[in-house]
Amino acid sequence: MSQPSPDALTFSDASARVDAYVSQFKEGYFPPLLLMARLTEEAGEVARVLAHENGKTPKPGEDAGDLELELADLLFVMICMANERGISLERGFARMMDKVETRDANRWTRKEQRE
């Protein structure tokens, strides 16, 4: 498994950057239910791009989409939701990885190790 470069963006860095952006506006973070609606909207846009990449023809005049950007939009809204709630995505991600690495350690067929 490769290690991130020293200048890699952390969840804390992303959280601080999003907070700096949102904090400059009087409105601040959207309320939780509106953030959930935005999260759902962005997930739908990810689905649309994947559908276009896997055989669905875009409507006339519709862009096929940019998966990288749509995933980043989804991440932005998730960071907003975490910031609004005061939740650490780094801690949450570490907890989730511990869960799947333990619970699912033998769930899937492992690739053979090459020497």
Side-chain angles (χ1 to χ4, degrees), residues 21-96:
Y21 173 75
V22 172
S23 295
Q24 66 184 325
F25 304 107
K26 289 180 182 180
E27 295 82 1
Y29 290 102
F30 291 147
L33 291 178
L34 185 50
L35 283 170
M36 188 64 220
R38 292 270 328 272
L39 193 66
T40 303
E41 176 189 6
E42 296 301 345
E45 292 177 11
V46 169
R48 179 181 48 82
V49 172
L50 290 173
H52 290 160
E53 288 180 354
N54 290 280
K56 180 182 176 286
T57 305
K59 296 175 188 171
E62 182 181 34
D63 184 8
D66 180 337
L67 184 59
E68 181 178 69
L69 184 58
E70 297 303 345
L71 287 171
D73 286 346
L74 192 60
L75 181 59
F76 176 83
V77 177
M78 287 189 293
I79 292 169
C80 285
M81 188 177 282
N83 284 356
E84 190 274 334
R85 292 278 147 161
I87 294 170
S88 165
L89 287 175
E90 286 179 328
R91 185 176 53 241
F93 186 79
R95 290 173 57 209
M96 181 277 308

